[in-house]
Amino acid sequence: MIAEVIVDVAAHPIDRPFDYAIPNKLEPLTEPGMRVKVPFGNRKVLGFITNIKQTTELDSAKIKPIHELMDVVPVLTPELLELAKWMKEKTVCFEIDALQVMIPAALRAKYEKRFVLKASLEEIAPQLRPFFAKRPFVRASEAEEFFSQLKKEMDKGTIMADTDISQQTAVKKVRMIHIADSLEQLEAIEIRANAKQQLKLMEYMKANVGRAIESAQLQKEAGTTLPTIYSLVDKGAASISNMEAYRDPQLLAQIEKKESLSLTPAQQQAFDAIRRSLDTSRTFLLHGITGSGKTEIYLQSIDQVLKAGKEAIMLVPEISLTPQMTVRFKERFGDMVAVLHSGLSAGEKYDEWRKIQRGEVKVVVGARSAIFAPFQNLGLIILDEEHESSYKQDDSPRYHARDVAIWRSEFHQCPVILGSATPSLESYARAQKGVYELLVLEKRAQNQPLPNVEIIDMREELKKGNRSMFSVPLADAIRERLEKKEQVVLFLNKRGYSSFVLCRDCGTVMQCPNCDISLTYHRSTEMMKCHYCGYDEKVPTTCPECESQHIRFFGTGTQKVEEELAKVVPEARVLRMDVDTTRNKGAHEKILAAFGEGKADILLGTQMIAKGLDFPNITLVGVLSADTTLHLPDFRAAEKTYQLLTQVSGRAGRDKLPGTVYIQSYTPEHYAITLAKDQLFEPFYDQEMAMRRASGYPPYFYVVNIQFTHEDLMTVSEYAEQTVRYLNSQLSPSTIIIGPSASLIARVNNRYRYQCLIKYKKEPKLSEVLQQLIKIYRTEWLRKGATLSIDMNPTSVM
DNA sequence: AGCACGCCGACT
DNA sequence: GTCGGCGTGCTC
């Protein structure tokens, strides 16, 4: 029998199945979806079996056998193998990348080059001997300086090179002590009278006949130690086995089970529509304003699915995967839920994944990659906040979780729910066309009024002589809340404000030597750092250009705001939440918890506070500058601004107290701002659609972004131009090709970056043409040091 | 991608 | 004379 294997080598000519013979004794064990170790050229690599067949057209002399099976149970289902092929086609990625992204990182192979001793220690050069004293091999990374000597030995045949393939995490085991089943058996054991410890343990065992207990637990309960246990085990009082243990990802402190809430008529209507379609592959767009109770609909829909014996996937943006959210699911579904989020270690993620694989859980809640949960009887997929750009992976495979969700829903004939207060234009357009079924929740579940939103024209403030970043009305409102002991959230769009160092004499801003971007000041380490290539250097004391001492640090936007805020309301207790204060694990949650407990009056932060903040005492939200995202050179700028403003506004007045929102802007008449004021989604949609139609962007056109990089500016622009010429000659006349042009950040890591954009409505040959392009690229340009990446349906084109 | 084979310059 | 530079070709 022959196995088709996709090997773990991400390169174009390798991106296809290779045939391997399945050794006779492995035949009954081998299944598609298993990982295998195979010889490839003169090395060994890991691969995935994608198919098993009887015969091959290949010369039997060429066929090599599989070296080793890595799994007992396939890590990928036939469905996921099929999905990988689709992803390869749709996102123009390597099939191996698509396969890898579906399994937990802990299972991905680690390769380590090493040198193995093949002769006796005396036969090799003396200076190499210490390396092999303990073990018959040495890791290449440990013996770099001895490379040439090792090579000589290799020529003699005394040492051989090979690669060690291992996976990152082993299964965690715990020692289980199984006490003998009969009292007689225990009583028959003789213990010396002076072995007090053993006698004590024996008493415990006699009282716990037949019990299986974790070793650590036994030591605690019986007040004993491991050696004592072992002596009794030797005497036959108990047996020891190693059992697989799950790491406990978070303290599941007694979470009380909660029942469903009752639904409002609007919720009920939406829920009924979903319930009627549970065995169709329909996609619903659940458009509900913030606080309208979408989550309850999700929970009850999942409940229906579980009752039908099926499974559900619930995707949330990473940032809103808060403990509160997790608790809500655990309350409803108990230990039927696996949670996958970035706070887990690789081992913990793997444990959660295995629970899914073995069918021990029925619901998975997680960020983007949870869409690949290896369920076999999927009954429902939900994407909450479906407009979030984090659902699109920004490196290969550049897939969108929404597209994968719809593919899987068709496979399983189960529905998809896309939920959002501010749907993406793409999704809303599809709902308008009837491709998706639109469900609307117009009112907040507890009928709280929407917050009162005021737009403040900062140009007027400037005219009045107010040059601070706080307008008079906002400053007044902050003071008022402080007096009333209510809480305030201030929101700053990060972009355009990142910290840098400026010389006040010559105006120099410190730049990265490798990239066309200014260096970012990191207060904690007193370093200047490039966020693109990782370059860093010490903060200078004088200007590197003119040696002036008048250099000024502009702290992160939020730091600066904090300073100014202290001038406006010196008595306020301020919590700052940004990349600097949330770098440590769990810091995010700690800050939120502190704010929730009323330990601060004002929470000041960036994007990350826009979501998941649900505290009753917040009555004022201030957006310091609505313009920063609005004027980015990206076709989604208005959409993102509208979404952000709506989301931030939703943080105010979540409970009984009414909320007020102040939005400061220098372009207050822009429709993204005026329409976000009253959450008028439909008018915003209409207007933005008109813009998209006029400029030829999604959802009217599909977009492909192709990026080129090379060390040499002329070369990269030449390749980009060649590509555009090629595309123009191959694609239909109605397709628009923009560029080539230098990317917004024209140089990263000493490589120049160019890009071009394909905008098309219908382009049946596109896939084929792009494949052809890749072929040219790999044979001619790659060798000359170029890279090319293709992003289908990019979330942004900057 | 990685690795071997192969053909030309600077060292013991 | 050999060590080693990287061009080119292949991987079931």
Side-chain angles (χ1 to χ4, degrees), chain A residues 432-455:
Chain A
Q432 298 275 295
K433 276 169 69 182
V435 181
Y436 299 162
E437 187 172 333
L438 186 62
L439 304 171
V440 185
L441 299 175
E442 277 169 346
K443 289 209 188 95
R444 286 183 151 185
Q446 271 113 43
N447 250 324
Q448 315 96 313
L450 281 175
N452 171 40
V453 179
E454 301 284 339
I455 297 170

Side-chain angles (χ1 to χ4, degrees), chain A residues 101-347:
Chain A
V101 81
M102 295 177 174
I103 60 168
L107 289 182
R108 272 170 236 163
K110 241 177 41 185
Y111 297 90
E112 192 171 58
K113 263 187 264 171
R114 54 186 202 177
F115 299 98
V116 184
L117 183 64
K118 286 286 167 188
S120 68
L121 214 50
E122 290 70 36
E123 286 174 75
I124 61 170
Q127 62 270 50
L128 291 175
R129 284 175 200 163
F131 285 120
F132 299 97
K134 275 191 235 133
R135 287 197 232 100
F137 64 87
V138 61
R139 285 181 248 277
S141 55
E142 294 168 342
E144 265 161 27
E145 325 82 283
F146 293 88
F147 229 74
S148 52
Q149 273 136 312
L150 285 161
K151 214 161 186 189
K152 271 184 214 155
E153 298 293 339
M154 279 162 65
D155 291 342
K156 283 199 286 174
T158 48
I159 283 175
M160 268 176 53
D162 84 21
T163 34
D164 181 49
I165 306 174
S166 59
Q167 60 188 45
Q168 278 178 26
T169 312
V171 171
K172 189 183 168 188
K173 297 271 173 89
V174 289
R175 228 182 327 249
M176 290 296 289
I177 313 295
H178 191 113
I179 300 168
D181 286 324
S182 73
L183 198 58
E184 298 83 64
Q185 203 179 333
L186 289 176
E187 280 169 343
I189 293 168
E190 286 176 29
I191 299 169
R192 292 194 319 273
N194 60 353
K196 295 246 167 60
Q197 286 299 316
Q198 290 188 36
L199 285 167
K200 188 170 137 204
L201 179 56
M202 182 53 86
E203 284 313 304
Y204 179 91
M205 286 188 169
K206 282 176 183 165
N208 290 277
V209 168
R211 188 170 165 203
I213 180 168
E214 217 176 287
S215 158
Q217 184 74 16
L218 175 63
Q219 289 174 44
K220 222 198 285 164
E221 282 185 24
T224 187
T225 57
L226 200 56
T228 317
I229 298 173
Y230 272 114
S231 349
L232 285 191
V233 167
D234 285 344
K235 295 191 169 92
S239 60
I240 292 186
S241 60
N242 284 321
M243 256 184 59
E244 223 172 278
Y246 290 134
R247 282 149 275 233
D248 196 358
Q250 55 190 0
L251 301 170
L252 294 178
Q254 264 54 51
I255 288 175
E256 228 170 277
K257 194 138 178 154
K258 287 209 179 144
E259 294 306 316
S260 308
L261 306 173
S262 61
L263 299 176
T264 64
Q267 283 177 316
Q268 188 67 46
Q269 208 178 346
F271 174 58
D272 286 342
I274 295 162
R275 187 163 53 175
R276 278 194 300 271
S277 306
L278 281 180
D279 43 19
T280 67
S281 62
R282 186 161 300 174
T283 300
F284 294 94
L285 178 60
L286 179 58
H287 178 207
I289 57 170
T290 47
S292 60
K294 292 188 288 292
T295 310
E296 190 57 32
I297 295 179
Y298 302 151
L299 290 168
Q300 297 202 17
S301 302
I302 292 172
D303 206 37
Q304 291 293 314
V305 166
L306 296 187
K307 280 185 184 136
K310 295 184 181 177
E311 299 122 2
I313 297 175
M314 167 88 201
L315 295 189
V316 293
E318 178 63 58
I319 204 151
S320 58
L321 199 51
T322 55
Q324 290 143 286
M325 181 81 175
T326 311
V327 166
R328 197 145 176 211
F329 271 82
K330 297 256 181 191
E331 281 171 352
R332 203 61 73 80
F333 304 114
D335 53 12
M336 303 279 269
V337 186
V339 180
L340 293 164
H341 62 85
S342 64
L344 302 180
S345 70

Side-chain angles (χ1 to χ4, degrees), chain A residues 515-770:
Chain A
C515 313
D516 285 345
I517 192 103
S518 49
L519 292 173
T520 303
Y521 170 54
H522 282 249
R523 183 183 242 163
S524 49
T525 49
E526 283 295 314
M527 296 290 270
M528 302 301 301
K529 195 164 180 180
C530 172
H531 283 189
Y532 282 82
C533 73
Y535 169 88
D536 58 4
E537 62 177 86
K538 272 231 151 324
V539 172
T541 49
T542 57
C543 171
E545 285 298 314
C546 70
E547 301 191 353
S548 151
Q549 306 216 335
H550 299 134
I551 54 172
R552 172 153 181 207
F553 302 91
F554 288 90
T556 53
T558 43
Q559 276 173 22
K560 202 170 149 200
V561 176
E562 195 177 14
E563 286 162 24
E564 290 224 13
L565 194 56
K567 291 178 203 156
V568 180
V569 278
E571 72 281 14
R573 296 167 301 162
V574 181
L575 264 179
R576 188 160 57 87
M577 188 149 122
D578 56 26
V579 276
D580 284 333
T581 61
T582 55
R583 195 165 293 127
N584 296 332
K585 197 177 164 178
H588 194 263
E589 288 76 21
K590 267 187 211 147
I591 293 176
L592 284 182
F595 191 63
E597 290 161 15
K599 287 182 181 156
D601 310 304
I602 300 175
L603 178 65
L604 169 64
T606 54
Q607 320 266 21
M608 61 176 76
I609 59 171
K611 272 176 226 87
L613 206 61
D614 191 356
F615 300 121
N617 205 29
I618 301 172
T619 58
L620 176 65
V621 168
V623 179
L624 295 174
S625 166
D627 308 303
T628 30
T629 49
L630 194 53
H631 303 306
L632 293 174
D634 192 272
F635 72 91
R636 261 181 240 275
E639 184 182 357
K640 282 192 181 140
T641 304
Y642 178 88
Q643 288 165 352
L644 215 56
L645 293 179
T646 307
Q647 202 129 67
V648 176
S649 305
R651 299 306 112 202
R654 305 266 308 176
D655 201 40
K656 294 177 187 72
L657 300 169
T660 305
V661 179
Y662 284 92
I663 297 175
Q664 302 187 154
S665 170
Y666 288 93
T667 48
E669 65 284 350
H670 193 284
Y671 62 94
I673 295 174
T674 56
L675 296 173
K677 173 176 168 6
D678 299 309
Q679 304 207 13
L680 298 173
F681 181 78
E682 287 268 356
F684 171 76
Y685 170 81
D686 290 339
Q687 187 140 5
E688 181 65 12
M689 283 296 271
M691 302 292 288
R692 301 284 179 91
R693 185 206 288 271
S695 53
Y697 276 109
Y700 287 101
F701 280 75
Y702 293 103
V703 172
V704 182
N705 190 9
I706 306 181
Q707 189 165 73
F708 309 83
T709 78
H710 196 274
E711 300 179 326
D712 179 58
L713 179 62
M714 295 310 288
T715 312
V716 70
S717 82
E718 171 59 29
Y719 288 162
E721 259 163 50
Q722 268 186 45
T723 303
V724 168
R725 276 199 294 275
Y726 176 76
L727 292 172
N728 267 321
S729 72
Q730 298 294 313
L731 298 174
S732 63
S734 61
T735 294
I736 304 161
I737 295 166
I738 296 185
S741 59
S743 299
L744 191 67
I745 296 158
R747 186 179 54 128
V748 167
N749 223 348
N750 281 322
R751 299 179 66 84
Y752 290 89
R753 311 200 307 170
Y754 259 68
Q755 63 183 40
C756 70
L757 220 57
I758 308 173
K759 302 201 288 188
Y760 66 97
K761 278 198 162 179
K762 205 166 176 247
E763 198 59 80
K765 276 172 66 189
L766 184 69
S767 199
E768 191 190 317
V769 171
L770 290 178

Side-chain angles (χ1 to χ4, degrees), chain A residues 277-281 310 378-379 408-415:
Chain A
S277 306
L278 281 180
D279 43 19
T280 67
S281 62
K310 295 184 181 177
L378 201 48
R408 293 197 75 180
S409 90
E410 277 160 14
F411 186 93
H412 288 277
Q413 286 299 301
C414 75

